[in-house]
Amino acid sequence: MLILSIASVSFVFLIGVGLYLRAAPLFNEHSLFSLFSGSEWAPSKNRFGFYPFIMGTLWVTLIAIVVALPLCLLTAIYLTEYAKPGVRKVMLPLMNILAGIPPVIYGVWGIFFVVPIVREYVAPRFTEYSSGYTVLTGGVVLAVMIFPILVSIVSEVLRTIPKELKDASLSLGATRWETIKKVVIKRALPGIVAATVLAVSRAFGETIAVLMVCGNVPVAPSTAFDGGYPLPALIANNFGEMMSIPLYDSALMFAALLLFVIIFLFNLFSRIILNRIEHKYSS
Amino acid sequence: MGIRRRKTEETLFKVLMIASCVIVGSSLFLIVGTIVVKGVPYLTWDMVTKAPQGGFYIGKEGGVLNAIIGSLYIAGGATVLGLLVSIPISMYLNIYLKGGSLLSKSAKLAYDVLFGIPSIVYGAFAFSIMIWLGVRASLLGGVIAVTLLIIPIMVRTLDEVIATVPRELKHAALSLGATRWETARVILRQIKPGIYTAVLLSFGRGVGDVASVLFTAGFSDNIPLYVDEPAATLPLAIFFQLSSPIPEVQGRAYASALILTLIILIIVIVSHFLATKHKH
């Protein structure tokens, strides 16, 4: 059992090392800088520019957070500060079910619900033509996917705010909302940041749902109504054919390594903050 | 600021909050609703009882039984393997080690982090292991990838459940002269419902995940009989059928999506009831 436990800790590093070793051949021929800044993706000509994919990932993630964060913050505040226990008892299980829905189902929903709305109603107001398969669509689908994690973690963080603090503010004549704005949110800020970072890293790595609605155009998007090609989609779409072209599999493993490193750091950061909050609360 | 303005602000934000709550809460119904509306017209008995027949992908006879069975096999195998690894780990971390020890703290942190690693990374990593071991895309490969994916889920769930067991129980067992192994067995009996929850959660995740099985399990129209045969999975079947230009095949994708959603809903709802029953 000791061995199993130690193995599990080292497993995190094993993944990193394993992916690095498989990606290493790529570094012999290309500098890290050229990989990040190159915008041409032509594996058969030995050109591996990751810039469009990195920008694709950033666009969908940013849109997802911009859409989801205000909605989830307000929902979590409502659930912890205003709502009757009955509402909470319904909403939190709903969030659990939402979290359990498989990514491919989100993708199907995106195709039939979000894509037409973007194509028919949203995009025509801003641009001439859009297929509906855009980074905006991907962002909206991702936003719904991160609802559960944001709502449940932010609710938990808000619940750790001492009641005395709120009572003090209320008794000084502040309204409920003023108390929330000036006391609760201020106090919960580190936890909210941690939850957001966690949600960002979830959005970062989501593959299939995004792949299904983003259009997969290997060009860096310049507006929200352009198609995009996030990193995870790049890996998923090309894994089959990579074996025949030299360095192709190294390039895809590099993409996986990139995702791993970023998500590892984000998760580490937010979990340490959240653990500290929980620890303070329980002691 | 005047009292009226403060009141207005209060009301404004309350309305905003209720609106957000409705949007967030209704998103689930929107998703399930879309899948049901799209899927029901195409759902036939053949879909769940037959594997693809000749010409299935141009709209002829057959169903997705191969994918349903493949998914259940992979998720089932991974869940069993995952349990075999996770129960000893969570027992060790909580009963053998002191709560504040460095190993226990760092292991728990490691599992929190592993929990956040996306399934595509697990898929890519499992694929590298498979190349190294000389395993080709097969049922076995899929089981390996999904096991890696669900171990963190299991360990974290078990960890949470063990935390709800009164500390006195552990102390009582130890003070009666039980060895730590015997104590672990007492605790294990105590958390049985929690184990079911962990199993259901992991199983649900295993059935629904695509990115981890994409390159590790392969795809096949046959129901797999041995672990070294490639196996179809339900999410992947949806994905493939959806990209077909033929309306009948697309319709089957909707029906398959409905089947997958129903399986997941049953799993999540059962585990929810188990979890609430356990709390009382």
Side-chain angles (χ1 to χ4, degrees), chain A residues 186-199:
Chain A
K186 210 175 204 177
R187 181 78 188 237
L189 201 59
I192 294 174
V193 171
T196 311
V197 172
L198 217 54

Side-chain angles (χ1 to χ4, degrees), chain B residues 122-136:
Chain B
Y122 282 111
F125 181 68
F127 185 74
S128 328
I129 298 181
M130 284 164 62
I131 293 182
W132 186 54
L133 292 176
V135 180
R136 65 192 179 96

Side-chain angles (χ1 to χ4, degrees), chain A residues 70-104:
Chain A
L71 286 173
C72 293
L73 264 186
L74 289 171
T75 303
I77 292 172
Y78 182 73
L79 288 180
T80 43
E81 303 292 330
Y82 289 86
K84 296 196 183 87
V87 181
R88 218 172 305 153
K89 259 192 194 141
V90 175
M91 272 301 274
L92 292 179
L94 275 188
M95 289 297 103
N96 277 340
I97 302 178
L98 195 60
I101 300 285
V104 74

